[in-house]
Amino acid sequence: MNYIKGKIKKTIFYNQESGFVVALFRVKETNVKKLEVNKTITVTGTVLDLNLDIPMTIYGDYVKNDKWGMQFVIDKVEVEMPTSKEAIEDFLASSFIAGCGEVTAKRIVEEFGDKALEIIKENKNNLLKIEGMTEVRATKIYASLVNFNKSEEVILKLQKLGFSIEECSKIYNHFKERIDDVLENSFYDLKEVVDFKKVDSIYINTYGVDTPDRIYACLQESMENLSNNTGDTYYYEEEVVGELIKSFNIELSKEAFDECLEYLENEKKVVKEDKRIYLEKYYKEEVSIAASLRKIDRIPSKMMYNIDEKLKELEKKLNIDYNETQEKAIKSALNNNITIISGGPGTGKTTIINAIVKLYIDKYKLGPADIMETIALLAPTGRAAKKINSSTGLPAYTIHRYLKWFKESNEFLYNEYNRTHHKLIIVDEVSMIDVSLFNALLNGISSSVKLILVGDTFQLPSVGPGLVLNDLIESDYFNYIPLNQIYRQSDNSYIPFLAKEIKNNDLSEDFLNKKDDYNFVSCDKSKINEAIEQIIKYSLSKNIDERNLQVLAPMYRGENGIDALNVLLQNIYNPRSKMREEITYGDIIYRENDKVIQLVNDLDNNVFNGDVGFIESIYNNKIIIDFDGNKVEYSKKDLKEIKHAYAITIHKSQGSEFMHVLMPISSSYYRMLYNKLIYTGVSRAKKSLTLIGDPKTFMQAVNNNYSSYRKTSLKEKIIMVYNNK
């Protein structure tokens, strides 16, 4: 294998989480004929702690990159521990050794000579002989040195097992000092950072197929699969057995299954309640939610006694006439600790939120600073939060940002031990919230709060397990105000009426007739893309561009799928040009000015799953994306976190509104065509809606009452808690 020996001179790019690096390397020795000694070259790949200014040997290949020229692509790295006094001094003064600068490093070497590293590792108290050394600094230096050696050992061990260097890096950075215990006693915990299938494959090669540990792990993973695929929080035995066979080819006798289940119960991994089997975390979350809600509800509510008078004043000020149901919702929110408000598009949910906020501010005479400290407006997605912000004029946050989520540990700063202090909390788009996130929210807020939950029960359910909004309503223990009267847009707007017809499975033939804000373009699925192209070009001639028009579809694949549509739309909106830089990721081309969507939460950069932005610039293999003024830098490796957004899934559109919506209705979507999905897409349109496709397929979808029924027990847990007063 080809190798180079030497030192890193400059780190150009380093991702601490993945270990991916681009750096300049001074070659001191090599077996590569094309390379000269003392030449500085570019090295690139995935390693640990490559920013260290210490000698190392890098194995790999010296190859030509079409764009960046010759590079040494790293396969593995061996760090050479320094032996000379000068090298030891440089090593101790490096950024890797905490608590030891150049002066201290010099003193250590003067005291211990070329045996300094061995003496430090032998006993950290040896460092106390050094002038100016404290107990704290000695501990930091000792720990850094021990951990350095440890990291190399661990990486080598993980590589031998079959993990890639990138996976090794992620594993080590995640588990740190716990890694030995994990590898020895809880191997499958590695799934926290590496795909379960990869972990399972390596475990089989190392320990065998039929070990109890593997069966226990696969049993839990089968339940996770069921929750992810169905949204259930509990399962029945036959479901778990079926998934175990399907995913892992493990067949257990009834006796063996019961023994495994008993073991996992004793290990507090699962809970069995009658015939129901839960992963313990989902069981605990449902129990915790019920208890938290009861605690909030028990606290005496502060009443607003002159609310009728204040409502009239607000109506006059805003030139609004609240209907009876809206008034009921506003009064309930201000006079009760927990209120649920649910309604479809155009029923005035946003209007109600705005009224609640204004009346609350007026009641308590809150100034700007007081408002920030007292009121919190939340939503599960960034775009949904922006919608509340635009209607109230007040800051709104995603739940993850509000609770201060740490991606690395998947924990929140605000929790049951450290709660926020806001007195009025309004949460919009609650239908999108799963049990885990709702439990985290309730754990992180004060019990002395007015909690207003707003949503639409007919929207698509949360991606994660649970059916929170429905369960809360069906428990019948909370003040619930359903909104039915359409109140949005102009009186002749057809969009909210079509949404209502879809919801009620009562589609009139009027849906084929063109309206001021609606049109159904009938065509065969083979002509859908062509029709979309024509409509887009016509819209552009009317100055309606991609910032105001959104294409929505149910799925990515197929001739009318999102992937194909995005290629088509990119060529219309943002064709190739010498004036615009572009970058290729897999088979996708990203260009400056492209419309893109974020796929994962990134709290550090304040960008969240579902946020839409535009590529501002591309340079040096990096992309700058502008998310409504928030400019975020992406390396090429990070591009897995985005997709083109000229067309997006209906699921991704939840919580958002668009001025103009274009929605293809293709029979190729047959597996995804049901009324709730269509309803959700239709209800995203604010000013105009265009449906394109087969009317019969559309009618079939509207009449397809594919149930979002999920097996959850939150409703039962709430009833139980409230009955045990």
Side-chain angles (χ1 to χ4, degrees):
M1 183 179 287
N2 293 328
Y3 73 88
I4 51 176
K5 289 186 177 183
K7 284 185 180 182
I8 293 295
K9 303 308 293 181
K10 184 180 180 181
T11 301
I12 299 171
F13 173 80
Y14 184 54
N15 185 312
Q16 185 68 38
E17 182 182 345
S18 66
F20 181 79
V21 69
V22 179
L24 298 179
F25 188 91
R26 178 66 61 88
V27 179
K28 293 296 184 181
E29 180 185 327
T30 181
N31 65 347
V32 180
K33 293 180 181 179
K34 299 177 183 177
L35 284 176
E36 300 174 7
V37 173
N38 292 325
K39 183 177 180 180
T40 299
I41 64 170
T42 301
V43 295
T44 180
T46 307
V47 297
L48 275 180
D49 309 318
L50 195 59
N51 59 335
L52 300 179
D53 187 25
I54 56 175
M56 60 187 66
T57 302
I58 299 177
Y59 298 90
D61 291 302
Y62 193 49
V63 298
K64 185 177 182 180
N65 182 283
D66 290 338
K67 192 168 185 177
W68 306 109
M70 296 301 293
Q71 298 180 335
F72 197 94
V73 180
I74 300 163
D75 183 55
K76 69 175 182 176
V77 174
E78 291 179 357
V79 176
E80 300 174 20
M81 294 303 292
T83 54
S84 69
K85 290 182 181 181
E86 183 182 5
I88 292 170
E89 190 174 316
D90 289 343
F91 172 64
L92 289 171
S94 72
S95 60
F96 191 75
I97 305 298
C100 189
E102 290 182 7
V103 174
T104 303
K106 188 175 181 67
R107 289 173 179 172
I108 292 172
V109 173
E110 286 175 352
E111 178 71 27
F112 300 134
D114 58 9
K115 301 293 183 184
L117 300 182
E118 289 90 334
I119 291 170
I120 295 170
K121 285 190 288 184
E122 183 181 286
N123 191 330
K124 75 174 182 181
N125 290 330
N126 290 333
L127 283 167
L128 297 176
K129 299 176 183 177
I130 307 301
E131 181 186 351
M133 185 63 64
T134 64
E135 181 79 29
V136 172
R137 289 180 69 196
T139 301
K140 286 182 178 179
I141 295 170
Y142 172 80
S144 297
L145 185 58
V146 171
N147 286 337
F148 177 83
N149 292 111
K150 180 69 178 176
S151 70
E152 298 304 312
E153 293 171 11
V154 170
I155 295 303
L156 184 60
K157 186 176 183 179
L158 290 169
Q159 282 185 292
K160 287 180 178 179
L161 286 173
F163 292 104
S164 70
I165 188 66
E166 182 175 359
E167 290 166 340
C168 293
S169 176
K170 287 181 178 179
I171 291 169
Y172 179 76
N173 287 329
H174 182 78
F175 292 102
K176 295 288 186 183
E177 64 274 2
R178 291 178 51 216
I179 187 62
D180 282 335
D181 182 60
V182 169
L183 293 177
E184 187 70 28
N185 302 311
S186 31
F187 194 88
Y188 280 94
D189 283 357
L190 297 176
K191 73 173 186 175
E192 294 175 17
V193 287
V194 179
D195 180 71
F196 183 91
K197 288 185 177 179
K198 178 68 176 284
V199 175
D200 187 46
S201 172
I202 289 174
Y203 183 92
I204 290 171
N205 291 335
T206 308
Y207 300 105
V209 174
D210 299 320
T211 70
D213 282 348
R214 180 174 185 257
I215 294 172
Y216 300 147
C218 291
L219 192 57
Q220 292 177 76
E221 189 66 15
S222 295
M223 287 185 260
E224 285 281 14
N225 290 345
L226 288 171
S227 286
N228 293 334
N229 294 334
T230 66
D232 296 339
T233 59
Y234 68 85
Y235 339 92
Y236 294 117
E237 181 177 320
E238 56 271 20
E239 294 175 300
V240 180
V241 169
E243 183 64 30
L244 194 58
I245 295 171
K246 176 186 170 185
S247 294
F248 304 106
N249 198 30
I250 296 175
E251 293 190 53
L252 298 175
S253 66
K254 171 67 173 159
E255 183 181 3
F257 181 85
D258 290 343
E259 286 179 2
C260 288
L261 212 59
E262 184 179 354
Y263 173 83
L264 291 173
E265 279 189 278
N266 293 333
E267 291 294 307
K268 301 195 181 302
K269 302 290 187 180
V270 305
V271 174
K272 192 172 181 186
E273 194 174 70
D274 298 324
K275 294 184 178 181
R276 297 174 179 180
I277 303 171
Y278 299 78
L279 283 169
E280 191 185 48
K281 63 177 179 179
Y282 296 134
Y283 181 87
K284 281 187 170 181
E285 284 166 352
E286 289 189 332
V287 170
S288 177
I289 289 170
S292 296
L293 291 169
R294 184 68 181 119
K295 192 173 180 179
I296 293 171
D297 226 7
R298 275 182 173 148
I299 295 175
S301 177
K302 294 181 180 179
M303 306 292 287
M304 189 169 180
Y305 296 103
N306 59 344
I307 193 167
D308 288 318
E309 178 187 336
K310 292 295 183 181
L311 260 175
K312 294 296 180 187
E313 291 176 7
L314 188 62
E315 283 182 322
K316 188 175 180 180
K317 184 179 179 180
L318 301 178
N319 195 25
I320 292 176
D321 289 320
Y322 299 115
N323 63 39
E324 185 180 342
T325 308
Q326 288 176 321
E327 284 190 6
K328 183 180 178 183
I330 295 166
K331 290 177 181 178
S332 176
L334 292 167
N335 287 332
N336 296 287
N337 290 346
I338 301 174
T339 297
I340 302 171
I341 302 167
S342 176
T347 54
K349 296 191 297 293
T350 302
T351 301
I352 291 169
I353 291 173
N354 201 26
I356 294 167
V357 169
K358 289 184 181 302
L359 288 170
Y360 191 89
I361 291 171
D362 180 71
K363 172 179 170 63
Y364 293 102
K365 309 299 179 190
L366 302 178
D370 298 323
I371 292 171
M372 297 291 290
E373 292 293 315
T374 308
I375 301 173
L377 306 179
L378 311 176
T381 68
R383 292 189 67 85
K386 287 171 186 172
K387 189 174 70 174
I388 311 175
N389 165 248
S390 64
S391 69
T392 63
L394 298 177
Y397 308 95
T398 66
I399 296 172
H400 281 83
R401 187 183 177 193
Y402 176 71
L403 297 176
K404 299 192 184 306
W405 176 63
F406 297 109
K407 182 180 179 181
E408 294 77 13
S409 60
N410 193 28
E411 293 176 330
F412 295 97
L413 175 65
Y414 293 111
N415 50 47
E416 60 266 44
Y417 309 109
N418 179 35
R419 299 177 185 267
T420 64
H421 52 263
H422 292 93
K423 300 299 182 184
L424 175 70
I425 296 179
I426 301 176
V427 189
D428 200 8
E429 300 291 349
V430 178
S431 64
M432 299 175 65
I433 301 176
D434 60 29
V435 288
S436 299
L437 185 56
F438 194 60
N439 182 55
L441 175 63
L442 294 179
N443 281 340
I445 65 176
S446 168
S447 299
S448 300
V449 68
K450 287 191 182 297
L451 182 63
I452 296 103
L453 305 173
V454 185
D456 183 353
T457 56
F458 206 72
Q459 293 279 358
L460 295 169
S462 59
V463 175
L467 206 60
V468 172
L469 182 59
N470 295 64
D471 281 345
L472 296 185
I473 293 169
E474 291 179 10
S475 73
D476 204 28
Y477 274 98
F478 308 105
N479 299 284
Y480 168 52
I481 297 91
L483 306 175
N484 297 307
Q485 183 177 332
I486 295 171
Y487 214 71
R488 190 179 80 188
Q489 300 156 320
S490 61
D491 292 335
N492 63 351
S493 176
Y494 183 68
I495 299 168
F497 290 98
L498 176 63
K500 190 174 182 179
E501 287 184 344
I502 294 168
K503 181 178 180 179
N504 297 331
N505 297 120
D506 187 24
L507 190 65
S508 66
E509 292 185 2
D510 200 36
F511 84 91
L512 288 171
N513 299 326
K514 193 176 187 304
K515 312 289 191 306
D516 290 341
D517 62 346
Y518 168 81
N519 191 21
F520 195 112
V521 180
S522 298
C523 66
D524 183 77
K525 68 177 182 179
S526 62
K527 301 291 185 181
I528 286 177
N529 291 12
E530 183 182 331
I532 290 175
E533 183 175 1
Q534 291 174 358
I535 293 168
I536 294 294
K537 288 180 177 178
Y538 176 78
S539 298
L540 284 170
S541 72
K542 298 296 182 180
N543 296 317
I544 300 172
D545 61 13
E546 68 272 32
R547 293 179 181 272
N548 294 304
L549 186 149
Q550 185 60 60
V551 177
L552 302 178
M555 55 199 296
Y556 285 101
R557 297 181 180 178
E559 61 179 323
N560 307 132
I562 289 165
D563 290 338
L565 289 172
N566 269 321
V567 173
L568 170 69
L569 297 174
Q570 183 191 36
N571 289 332
I572 300 172
Y573 284 123
N574 194 29
R576 178 167 285 171
S577 168
K578 292 181 180 179
M579 302 297 292
R580 289 188 288 273
E581 293 288 329
E582 58 183 48
I583 188 172
T584 301
Y585 181 75
D587 59 352
I588 303 172
I589 298 171
Y590 291 105
R591 296 189 188 112
E592 291 177 339
N593 297 341
D594 266 343
K595 183 180 181 181
V596 294
I597 186 170
Q598 179 76 8
L599 302 176
V600 297
N601 290 327
D602 183 356
L603 195 64
D604 291 338
N605 288 306
N606 194 30
V607 60
F608 299 90
N609 184 4
D611 283 356
V612 173
F614 289 83
I615 296 177
E616 183 178 88
S617 61
I618 299 174
Y619 68 98
N620 292 337
N621 248 18
K622 295 180 181 176
I623 291 181
I624 303 297
I625 303 177
D626 185 351
F627 295 95
D628 290 338
N630 176 29
K631 297 180 182 182
V632 181
E633 183 179 283
Y634 293 76
S635 69
K636 191 169 182 178
K637 203 174 178 78
D638 297 327
L639 296 185
K640 62 180 181 293
E641 297 180 358
I642 64 168
K643 272 188 171 290
H644 281 116
Y646 301 107
I648 63 173
T649 66
I650 295 172
H651 282 83
K652 287 290 185 188
S653 76
Q654 281 190 269
S656 303
E657 285 184 335
F658 309 98
M659 295 303 292
H660 307 276
V661 169
L662 207 61
M663 196 161 80
I665 307 293
S666 171
S667 58
S668 61
Y669 304 148
Y670 71 96
R671 299 175 77 177
M672 297 290 292
L673 287 176
Y674 55 95
N675 57 356
K676 275 197 175 185
L677 187 88
I678 298 295
Y679 170 88
T680 301
V682 166
S683 63
R684 300 307 90 201
K686 197 172 180 180
K687 192 172 181 179
S688 78
L689 170 70
T690 303
L691 303 179
I692 308 167
D694 179 23
K696 288 184 179 178
T697 300
F698 181 69
M699 288 188 289
Q700 288 170 357
V702 170
N703 291 318
N704 179 9
N705 290 319
Y706 169 77
S707 176
S708 60
Y709 168 77
R710 295 178 169 186
K711 295 196 297 295
T712 68
S713 56
L714 177 57
K715 171 185 167 182
E716 295 172 20
K717 300 292 189 295
I718 292 170
I719 293 171
M720 189 180 299
V721 167
Y722 273 75
N723 284 339
N724 295 330
K725 297 180 180 180

